[in-house]
């Protein structure tokens, strides 16, 4: 969120030791393109579920938090965590969620078959 009526601001998004400078007034589409380009992704990043067209939002008469959700194609492999580094006139946070469930199928009798792809190697049960 922008911290005040000042419309200038920025932050750095760090992914895989790459720092991406993001303008606070950038659109969600611009952020998707920046991340796709910086990571060299083959499949597009999706932003379904984002609350605003821009990444940051400030409206003193309607103080709500702008939520930007980025989703990556499983075909691009494991996506590392995102970190926020320098913030200028903005407040930004990240949540790195893992959605490894590929499919849920109802089998009947209260039973489900859950198919998933682990994103971290190890033993699962």
């Amino acid at each position: 969120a922008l911290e005040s009526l000042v419309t200038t601001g920025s932050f750095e998004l760090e992914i895989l030791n790459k720092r991406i400078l993001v303008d606070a007034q950038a659109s969600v589409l611009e952020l998707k393109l920046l991340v796709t380009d910086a990571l060299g992704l083959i499949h597009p990043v999706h932003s379904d579920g984002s609350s605003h067209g821009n990444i940051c939002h400030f409206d003193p008469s309607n103080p709500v938090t702008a939520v930007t959700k980025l989703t990556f194609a499983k075909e691009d492999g494991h996506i590392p965590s995102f970190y926020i580094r320098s913030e200028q006139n903005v407040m930004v946070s990240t949540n790195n969620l893992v959605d490894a469930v590929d499919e849920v199928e109802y089998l009947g009798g209260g039973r489900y078959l859950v198919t998933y792809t682990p994103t971290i190697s190890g033993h699962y049960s």
Side-chain angles (χ1 to χ4, degrees):
L2 291 169
E3 291 183 329
S4 65
L5 290 174
V6 176
T7 59
T8 59
S10 63
F11 62 93
E12 281 186 318
L13 184 61
E14 183 180 331
I15 312 167
L16 285 175
N17 294 324
K18 295 179 183 182
R19 289 188 179 218
I20 304 168
L21 181 62
V22 180
D23 185 316
Q25 293 299 317
S27 69
V28 173
L29 174 61
E30 290 171 305
L31 177 63
K32 288 169 35 175
L33 294 173
L34 282 169
V35 170
T36 299
D37 185 52
L39 295 178
L41 300 175
I42 296 169
H43 300 88
V45 174
H46 295 281
S47 61
D48 299 340
S50 295
S51 64
H52 293 76
N54 285 14
I55 300 164
C56 295
H57 168 80
F58 182 82
D59 181 352
S61 62
N62 185 21
V64 297
T65 300
V67 175
T68 301
K69 294 183 179 182
L70 298 180
T71 307
F72 300 87
K74 291 182 190 262
E75 295 83 3
D76 283 322
H78 174 67
I79 302 298
S81 297
F82 286 38
Y83 301 97
I84 301 300
R85 295 302 179 211
S86 63
E87 298 172 275
Q88 304 296 317
N89 296 324
V90 294
M91 293 180 294
V92 181
S93 64
T94 62
N95 291 315
N96 294 290
L97 306 175
V98 175
D99 182 11
V101 175
D102 298 320
E103 181 181 7
V104 177
E105 179 184 348
Y106 181 65
L107 299 175
R111 297 180 312 140
Y112 293 86
L113 174 63
V114 179
T115 306
Y116 68 96
T117 304
T119 57
I120 300 173
S121 64
H123 298 284
Y124 293 84
S125 58

mmCIF file of all heavy atoms in Angstrom, residues 10-15 17-20 81-88 90 92 94:
data_model
loop_
_atom_site.group_PDB
_atom_site.id
_atom_site.type_symbol
_atom_site.label_atom_id
_atom_site.label_comp_id
_atom_site.label_asym_id
_atom_site.label_seq_id
_atom_site.Cartn_x
_atom_site.Cartn_y
_atom_site.Cartn_z
ATOM 1 N N SER A 10 8.327 2.858 -4.624
ATOM 2 C CA SER A 10 8.836 1.675 -5.297
ATOM 3 C C SER A 10 9.297 0.662 -4.254
ATOM 4 O O SER A 10 9.390 0.972 -3.072
ATOM 5 C CB SER A 10 10.001 2.032 -6.221
ATOM 6 O OG SER A 10 11.085 2.538 -5.457
ATOM 7 N N PHE A 11 9.570 -0.529 -4.723
ATOM 8 C CA PHE A 11 10.151 -1.559 -3.867
ATOM 9 C C PHE A 11 10.932 -2.515 -4.743
ATOM 10 O O PHE A 11 10.767 -2.542 -5.963
ATOM 11 C CB PHE A 11 9.075 -2.295 -3.066
ATOM 12 C CG PHE A 11 8.069 -3.043 -3.900
ATOM 13 C CD1 PHE A 11 8.253 -4.381 -4.203
ATOM 14 C CD2 PHE A 11 6.939 -2.402 -4.364
ATOM 15 C CE1 PHE A 11 7.324 -5.075 -4.956
ATOM 16 C CE2 PHE A 11 5.999 -3.087 -5.126
ATOM 17 C CZ PHE A 11 6.185 -4.423 -5.423
ATOM 18 N N GLU A 12 11.813 -3.262 -4.090
ATOM 19 C CA GLU A 12 12.572 -4.272 -4.798
ATOM 20 C C GLU A 12 12.061 -5.642 -4.398
ATOM 21 O O GLU A 12 11.900 -5.932 -3.213
ATOM 22 C CB GLU A 12 14.061 -4.184 -4.477
ATOM 23 C CG GLU A 12 14.769 -3.089 -5.220
ATOM 24 C CD GLU A 12 16.264 -3.134 -4.975
ATOM 25 O OE1 GLU A 12 16.678 -3.353 -3.828
ATOM 26 O OE2 GLU A 12 17.009 -2.952 -5.951
ATOM 27 N N LEU A 13 11.800 -6.453 -5.390
ATOM 28 C CA LEU A 13 11.360 -7.816 -5.197
ATOM 29 C C LEU A 13 12.555 -8.712 -5.511
ATOM 30 O O LEU A 13 13.130 -8.624 -6.593
ATOM 31 C CB LEU A 13 10.210 -8.105 -6.155
ATOM 32 C CG LEU A 13 9.511 -9.439 -6.081
ATOM 33 C CD1 LEU A 13 8.882 -9.637 -4.714
ATOM 34 C CD2 LEU A 13 8.438 -9.513 -7.150
ATOM 35 N N GLU A 14 12.975 -9.535 -4.538
ATOM 36 C CA GLU A 14 14.122 -10.413 -4.767
ATOM 37 C C GLU A 14 13.647 -11.847 -4.976
ATOM 38 O O GLU A 14 12.912 -12.401 -4.174
ATOM 39 C CB GLU A 14 15.089 -10.379 -3.591
ATOM 40 C CG GLU A 14 16.324 -11.214 -3.840
ATOM 41 C CD GLU A 14 17.308 -11.198 -2.681
ATOM 42 O OE1 GLU A 14 17.353 -10.195 -1.941
ATOM 43 O OE2 GLU A 14 18.014 -12.187 -2.518
ATOM 44 N N ILE A 15 14.083 -12.414 -6.099
ATOM 45 C CA ILE A 15 13.770 -13.792 -6.450
ATOM 46 C C ILE A 15 15.037 -14.399 -7.037
ATOM 47 O O ILE A 15 15.611 -13.845 -7.975
ATOM 48 C CB ILE A 15 12.661 -13.877 -7.512
ATOM 49 C CG1 ILE A 15 11.473 -12.992 -7.171
ATOM 50 C CG2 ILE A 15 12.210 -15.313 -7.717
ATOM 51 C CD1 ILE A 15 10.515 -12.797 -8.312
ATOM 52 N N ASN A 17 18.103 -14.469 -6.101
ATOM 53 C CA ASN A 17 19.206 -13.499 -6.063
ATOM 54 C C ASN A 17 19.126 -12.453 -7.168
ATOM 55 O O ASN A 17 20.113 -11.802 -7.489
ATOM 56 C CB ASN A 17 20.568 -14.204 -6.106
ATOM 57 C CG ASN A 17 20.795 -15.027 -4.860
ATOM 58 O OD1 ASN A 17 20.394 -14.632 -3.767
ATOM 59 N ND2 ASN A 17 21.401 -16.180 -5.027
ATOM 60 N N LYS A 18 17.961 -12.302 -7.774
ATOM 61 C CA LYS A 18 17.733 -11.241 -8.753
ATOM 62 C C LYS A 18 16.836 -10.213 -8.090
ATOM 63 O O LYS A 18 15.858 -10.558 -7.432
ATOM 64 C CB LYS A 18 17.047 -11.790 -10.004
ATOM 65 C CG LYS A 18 17.887 -12.773 -10.761
ATOM 66 C CD LYS A 18 17.144 -13.299 -11.959
ATOM 67 C CE LYS A 18 17.993 -14.344 -12.642
ATOM 68 N NZ LYS A 18 17.371 -14.872 -13.838
ATOM 69 N N ARG A 19 17.182 -8.960 -8.252
ATOM 70 C CA ARG A 19 16.362 -7.888 -7.681
ATOM 71 C C ARG A 19 15.621 -7.174 -8.803
ATOM 72 O O ARG A 19 16.228 -6.732 -9.765
ATOM 73 C CB ARG A 19 17.219 -6.915 -6.895
ATOM 74 C CG ARG A 19 17.724 -7.549 -5.613
ATOM 75 C CD ARG A 19 18.412 -6.552 -4.736
ATOM 76 N NE ARG A 19 18.845 -7.197 -3.509
ATOM 77 C CZ ARG A 19 18.789 -6.612 -2.336
ATOM 78 N NH1 ARG A 19 18.342 -5.393 -2.216
ATOM 79 N NH2 ARG A 19 19.202 -7.259 -1.275
ATOM 80 N N ILE A 20 14.316 -7.095 -8.644
ATOM 81 C CA ILE A 20 13.454 -6.459 -9.628
ATOM 82 C C ILE A 20 12.901 -5.193 -9.003
ATOM 83 O O ILE A 20 12.206 -5.247 -7.982
ATOM 84 C CB ILE A 20 12.292 -7.390 -10.022
ATOM 85 C CG1 ILE A 20 12.831 -8.728 -10.536
ATOM 86 C CG2 ILE A 20 11.398 -6.725 -11.048
ATOM 87 C CD1 ILE A 20 11.752 -9.794 -10.673
ATOM 88 N N SER A 81 11.069 -18.713 -3.101
ATOM 89 C CA SER A 81 10.419 -17.672 -2.306
ATOM 90 C C SER A 81 10.748 -16.284 -2.820
ATOM 91 O O SER A 81 11.792 -16.046 -3.403
ATOM 92 C CB SER A 81 10.867 -17.786 -0.846
ATOM 93 O OG SER A 81 10.453 -19.007 -0.303
ATOM 94 N N PHE A 82 9.821 -15.378 -2.590
ATOM 95 C CA PHE A 82 9.976 -13.965 -2.928
ATOM 96 C C PHE A 82 10.311 -13.216 -1.647
ATOM 97 O O PHE A 82 9.767 -13.524 -0.597
ATOM 98 C CB PHE A 82 8.658 -13.388 -3.441
ATOM 99 C CG PHE A 82 8.256 -13.803 -4.813
ATOM 100 C CD1 PHE A 82 8.466 -15.078 -5.289
ATOM 101 C CD2 PHE A 82 7.636 -12.893 -5.636
ATOM 102 C CE1 PHE A 82 8.066 -15.457 -6.547
ATOM 103 C CE2 PHE A 82 7.226 -13.250 -6.901
ATOM 104 C CZ PHE A 82 7.443 -14.531 -7.359
ATOM 105 N N TYR A 83 11.142 -12.210 -1.754
ATOM 106 C CA TYR A 83 11.463 -11.359 -0.605
ATOM 107 C C TYR A 83 11.345 -9.904 -1.027
ATOM 108 O O TYR A 83 11.682 -9.544 -2.149
ATOM 109 C CB TYR A 83 12.887 -11.631 -0.108
ATOM 110 C CG TYR A 83 13.098 -13.062 0.297
ATOM 111 C CD1 TYR A 83 13.681 -13.968 -0.580
ATOM 112 C CD2 TYR A 83 12.692 -13.518 1.545
ATOM 113 C CE1 TYR A 83 13.863 -15.294 -0.222
ATOM 114 C CE2 TYR A 83 12.868 -14.847 1.911
ATOM 115 C CZ TYR A 83 13.453 -15.722 1.018
ATOM 116 O OH TYR A 83 13.619 -17.034 1.372
ATOM 117 N N ILE A 84 10.878 -9.076 -0.113
ATOM 118 C CA ILE A 84 10.824 -7.639 -0.357
ATOM 119 C C ILE A 84 12.069 -7.040 0.262
ATOM 120 O O ILE A 84 12.382 -7.291 1.418
ATOM 121 C CB ILE A 84 9.571 -7.005 0.287
ATOM 122 C CG1 ILE A 84 8.294 -7.651 -0.275
ATOM 123 C CG2 ILE A 84 9.574 -5.495 0.072
ATOM 124 C CD1 ILE A 84 8.109 -7.513 -1.755
ATOM 125 N N ARG A 85 12.788 -6.243 -0.497
ATOM 126 C CA ARG A 85 13.998 -5.607 0.015
ATOM 127 C C ARG A 85 13.722 -4.129 0.284
ATOM 128 O O ARG A 85 13.040 -3.816 1.210
ATOM 129 C CB ARG A 85 15.170 -5.849 -0.938
ATOM 130 C CG ARG A 85 15.546 -7.327 -1.029
ATOM 131 C CD ARG A 85 15.899 -7.890 0.340
ATOM 132 N NE ARG A 85 16.237 -9.313 0.282
ATOM 133 C CZ ARG A 85 16.018 -10.168 1.229
ATOM 134 N NH1 ARG A 85 15.467 -9.798 2.353
ATOM 135 N NH2 ARG A 85 16.350 -11.430 1.103
ATOM 136 N N SER A 86 14.178 -3.221 -0.500
ATOM 137 C CA SER A 86 14.003 -1.804 -0.173
ATOM 138 C C SER A 86 12.587 -1.343 -0.512
ATOM 139 O O SER A 86 12.019 -1.711 -1.526
ATOM 140 C CB SER A 86 15.030 -0.959 -0.916
ATOM 141 O OG SER A 86 14.842 -1.068 -2.307
ATOM 142 N N GLU A 87 12.014 -0.547 0.389
ATOM 143 C CA GLU A 87 10.682 0.015 0.188
ATOM 144 C C GLU A 87 10.776 1.535 0.277
ATOM 145 O O GLU A 87 11.316 2.054 1.238
ATOM 146 C CB GLU A 87 9.715 -0.483 1.260
ATOM 147 C CG GLU A 87 9.496 -1.982 1.253
ATOM 148 C CD GLU A 87 8.688 -2.447 2.452
ATOM 149 O OE1 GLU A 87 9.303 -2.665 3.513
ATOM 150 O OE2 GLU A 87 7.463 -2.573 2.323
ATOM 151 N N GLN A 88 10.264 2.223 -0.719
ATOM 152 C CA GLN A 88 10.261 3.687 -0.747
ATOM 153 C C GLN A 88 8.817 4.171 -0.823
ATOM 154 O O GLN A 88 8.167 4.020 -1.856
ATOM 155 C CB GLN A 88 11.048 4.198 -1.970
ATOM 156 C CG GLN A 88 12.471 3.697 -2.059
ATOM 157 C CD GLN A 88 13.316 4.180 -0.894
ATOM 158 O OE1 GLN A 88 13.237 5.333 -0.501
ATOM 159 N NE2 GLN A 88 14.115 3.281 -0.341
ATOM 160 N N VAL A 90 6.178 2.957 0.378
ATOM 161 C CA VAL A 90 5.183 1.893 0.267
ATOM 162 C C VAL A 90 5.351 0.902 1.415
ATOM 163 O O VAL A 90 6.410 0.840 2.037
ATOM 164 C CB VAL A 90 5.292 1.113 -1.069
ATOM 165 C CG1 VAL A 90 4.960 1.976 -2.252
ATOM 166 C CG2 VAL A 90 6.650 0.475 -1.220
ATOM 167 N N VAL A 92 4.916 -3.137 1.750
ATOM 168 C CA VAL A 92 4.706 -4.333 0.942
ATOM 169 C C VAL A 92 5.091 -5.557 1.763
ATOM 170 O O VAL A 92 6.055 -5.526 2.517
ATOM 171 C CB VAL A 92 5.580 -4.284 -0.339
ATOM 172 C CG1 VAL A 92 5.350 -5.502 -1.206
ATOM 173 C CG2 VAL A 92 5.306 -3.017 -1.134
ATOM 174 N N THR A 94 5.039 -10.170 1.507
ATOM 175 C CA THR A 94 4.808 -11.326 0.645
ATOM 176 C C THR A 94 4.409 -12.531 1.481
ATOM 177 O O THR A 94 4.800 -12.659 2.635
ATOM 178 C CB THR A 94 6.067 -11.716 -0.160
ATOM 179 O OG1 THR A 94 7.104 -12.087 0.750
ATOM 180 C CG2 THR A 94 6.537 -10.590 -1.042
#
